[in-house]
Amino acid sequence: MTAPIASSHARSLGVVTCSALVVGNIIGSGFFLSPAALAPYGYVALIGWVLMAGVAICIALLFARLARILPSVGGPYAYARQAFGPQVGFIVAWTYWISMWVSQPAIAITFVGYLGVFFPGIGQSRLLSTAIGLAAIWAVALVNIRGVRSAAILQNIMVGMKLVPFIAIGSIGLFWVSPATLALPPDLPAGAGGSGPLSTLFAIASVMPLIMFAFLGIESSTVPADNVRDPARTIPRATILGTLICAAIFILCTVTVMGVVPRATLAASSAPFADAARLMWGDWAGDVLAAAVIFSSLAALNGWTLVMGQVPLAAARDGLFPPIFARLSRSSTPAAGIAISLVLSSLMLLLQASGLTALVGVYRELINLSTTAEMVPYAFCAAAETTLLASLARPGPWADRPFTLISLIAFTFSLVTIYGGGAAAGLWTMILTMIGIPVYAMMTRRQPPRDDVRNEEPQRSMP
């Protein structure tokens, strides 16, 4: 079993902070640019949001159950390793780690783009925008390296500052919605997916990765379990509460933006929420929304940086990742692991800014790659729930009633999302995963991982 990150007196994360971690990681850059990316799909995008909200709630219930069964540091990695052994555990940790450091440059791009609302010159200089994006990534990293408590305080502040404007957009803004604008049919290329119902299904499959990128982070509160107070109760509550808040904001805000901004204008927008606020309430509102997105991007960078150090740490403690990832700083944080991860994120951002789009892709391809990589851990976690209940059987209702339907929905959805991500994202995910094979071989040769992990007792029994 994974060793704890810190002693019990260091548990500083409660329900509020864990919920803020979930909300901060979910409501990030993918949401703020998604109305523009989804504009060609018309009302189909709204259908996709509703469907994905239902799926997201199923995934939240799944992770809440897993957190009650096994409240262990590492989240998805810990569940997969306990259920299926070290080989699968490594694959889950590796692909989850890939998803996290690939998502950081996408979030930084959004941060810089909305910062350009206040400083237009930023967008005119590729060198300056890249430098600011890198500065944001590393400034947030320094806060996390100082300690979990510092990261938690920053997360609570940023999430609180960003929610109010979007609650206004999703509630008051509904009075400005034009039904005619909102009900536009999908504008797909000729022959894409056929016509009629087939075309609609094709459109829904196409929007799933874009929408799912906005929902990534559902599992965030499960990862730093050893820093959570009463994790068997706190993590499930925070996971479900945070997901419900995000689903409501996503759907209502998307209805407002797609019902206010004309499709052609929306599709070309680099700040769709700011544009919608200007049309409804004037220039001042656009500035307020742009500021909210800036805070949200920082919160997402902070939340993902916090999570990004924990999964490699858990795997390194089990002998599956290089030992440097398990090295803790004086503040009991995996500083070296965070730094290595952000070096890779920085290289991705530099390559994207260099214009070598054939190599690293543009923003949309970063989204597809990050989402596709994260669906691998989701699929294994969906299968792990029943396996864990069987291997860690306890008397009581939680052991007697596995969430078979919910797990099946989460598993099927993960496969469909991988398909919707496209061939390029699938290929790059496979290549990056294959790169991990020599790492796994080296680690098992140096220090064979424990094969009896599934026979170990969880750190805490189920309630």
Side-chain angles (χ1 to χ4, degrees), residues 14-109:
V15 173
V16 173
T17 300
C18 286
S19 298
L21 180 62
V22 174
V23 174
N25 280 9
I26 293 179
I27 301 182
S29 63
F31 175 46
F32 302 129
L33 294 182
S34 62
L38 296 171
Y41 297 95
Y43 68 84
V44 171
L46 299 178
I47 297 175
W49 276 112
V50 173
L51 291 175
M52 295 299 291
V55 171
I57 292 172
C58 288
I59 294 175
L61 290 171
L62 172 67
F63 279 110
R65 162 62 74 83
L66 290 170
R68 291 176 70 101
I69 298 172
L70 190 68
S72 178
V73 65
Y77 157 74
Y79 310 143
R81 190 178 195 277
Q82 182 78 19
F84 304 118
Q87 294 84 5
V88 172
F90 174 82
I91 293 174
V92 168
W94 188 262
T95 53
Y96 192 58
W97 181 56
I98 290 171
S99 175
M100 286 185 285
W101 59 258
V102 167
S103 69
Q104 293 292 81
I107 298 171
I109 290 171

Side-chain angles (χ1 to χ4, degrees), residues 196-276:
L198 186 60
S199 178
T200 301
L201 291 175
F202 175 84
I204 292 175
S206 299
V207 303
M208 286 181 69
L210 294 172
I211 296 176
M212 188 55 204
F213 182 75
F215 273 111
L216 294 185
I218 295 172
E219 73 292 341
S220 297
S221 65
T222 70
V223 176
D226 281 330
N227 294 102
V228 176
R229 294 190 297 269
D230 192 10
R233 295 181 182 274
T234 298
I235 293 175
R237 293 174 181 175
T239 300
I240 295 173
L241 177 61
T243 304
L244 289 173
I245 291 172
C246 294
I249 292 176
F250 283 168
I251 294 173
L252 294 176
C253 287
T254 301
V255 168
T256 298
V257 174
M258 298 190 73
V260 169
V261 184
R263 174 186 281 184
T265 303
L266 183 61
S269 175
S270 60
F273 281 89
D275 291 342

Side-chain angles (χ1 to χ4, degrees), residues 60-445:
L61 290 171
L62 172 67
F63 279 110
R65 162 62 74 83
L66 290 170
R68 291 176 70 101
I69 298 172
L70 190 68
S72 178
V73 65
Y77 157 74
Y79 310 143
R81 190 178 195 277
Q82 182 78 19
F84 304 118
Q87 294 84 5
V88 172
F90 174 82
I91 293 174
V92 168
W94 188 262
T95 53
Y96 192 58
W97 181 56
I98 290 171
S99 175
M100 286 185 285
W101 59 258
V102 167
S103 69
Q104 293 292 81
I107 298 171
I109 290 171
T110 301
F111 168 79
V112 173
Y114 273 85
L115 196 63
V117 172
F118 300 100
F119 306 99
I122 292 176
Q124 299 173 5
S125 171
R126 178 175 293 174
L127 179 62
L128 180 60
S129 61
T130 302
I132 293 175
L134 290 172
I137 288 175
W138 286 97
V140 169
L142 291 177
V143 174
N144 278 266
I145 290 173
R146 286 191 59 187
V148 172
R149 183 172 179 81
S150 298
I153 292 173
L154 177 62
Q155 192 72 1
N156 288 339
I157 293 173
M158 292 298 176
V159 170
M161 294 181 70
K162 78 179 183 180
L163 281 185
V164 174
F166 292 101
I167 291 174
I169 284 280
S171 56
I172 302 173
L174 294 174
F175 292 101
W176 275 262
V177 170
S178 168
T181 302
L182 192 64
L184 289 173
D187 182 19
L188 299 175
S195 59
L198 186 60
S199 178
T200 301
L201 291 175
F202 175 84
I204 292 175
S206 299
V207 303
M208 286 181 69
L210 294 172
I211 296 176
M212 188 55 204
F213 182 75
F215 273 111
L216 294 185
I218 295 172
E219 73 292 341
S220 297
S221 65
T222 70
V223 176
D226 281 330
N227 294 102
V228 176
R229 294 190 297 269
D230 192 10
R233 295 181 182 274
T234 298
I235 293 175
R237 293 174 181 175
T239 300
I240 295 173
L241 177 61
T243 304
L244 289 173
I245 291 172
C246 294
I249 292 176
F250 283 168
I251 294 173
L252 294 176
C253 287
T254 301
V255 168
T256 298
V257 174
M258 298 190 73
V260 169
V261 184
R263 174 186 281 184
T265 303
L266 183 61
S269 175
S270 60
F273 281 89
D275 291 342
R278 287 194 183 93
L279 289 175
M280 292 187 292
W281 303 315
D283 290 341
W284 68 270
D287 292 342
V288 170
L289 262 295
V293 174
I294 290 172
F295 285 123
S296 180
S297 297
L298 289 174
L301 284 174
N302 179 66
W304 281 116
T305 302
L306 173 63
V307 173
M308 188 164 52
Q310 303 292 323
V311 173
L313 183 147
R317 285 179 179 267
D318 289 332
L320 298 179
F321 267 43
I324 191 172
F325 286 95
R327 193 174 300 167
L328 298 181
S329 68
R330 292 181 179 179
S331 302
S332 296
T333 58
I338 291 174
I340 293 171
S341 303
L342 291 185
V343 166
L344 296 173
S345 297
S346 300
L347 290 174
M348 291 286 289
L349 185 59
L350 289 170
L351 288 171
Q352 193 277 336
S354 70
L356 299 176
T357 54
L359 177 62
V360 298
V362 293
Y363 176 82
R364 180 189 291 263
E365 294 183 7
L366 287 175
I367 290 175
N368 286 338
L369 174 56
S370 179
T371 305
T372 300
E374 186 145 348
M375 288 304 100
V376 176
Y378 278 24
F380 278 112
C381 286
E385 189 253 352
T386 301
T387 303
L388 285 176
L389 285 176
S391 62
L392 303 174
R394 297 285 192 279
W398 281 87
D400 294 336
R401 301 188 183 96
F403 286 176
T404 304
L405 179 60
I406 290 176
S407 299
L408 183 61
I409 291 173
F411 182 81
T412 303
F413 155 78
S414 300
L415 297 184
V416 173
T417 304
I418 291 173
Y419 168 79
L427 177 61
W428 277 108
T429 298
M430 183 182 71
I431 290 174
L432 292 173
T433 302
M434 296 293 287
I435 290 175
I437 293 178
V439 177
Y440 179 78
M442 178 184 67
M443 295 309 303
T444 54
R445 183 175 180 178

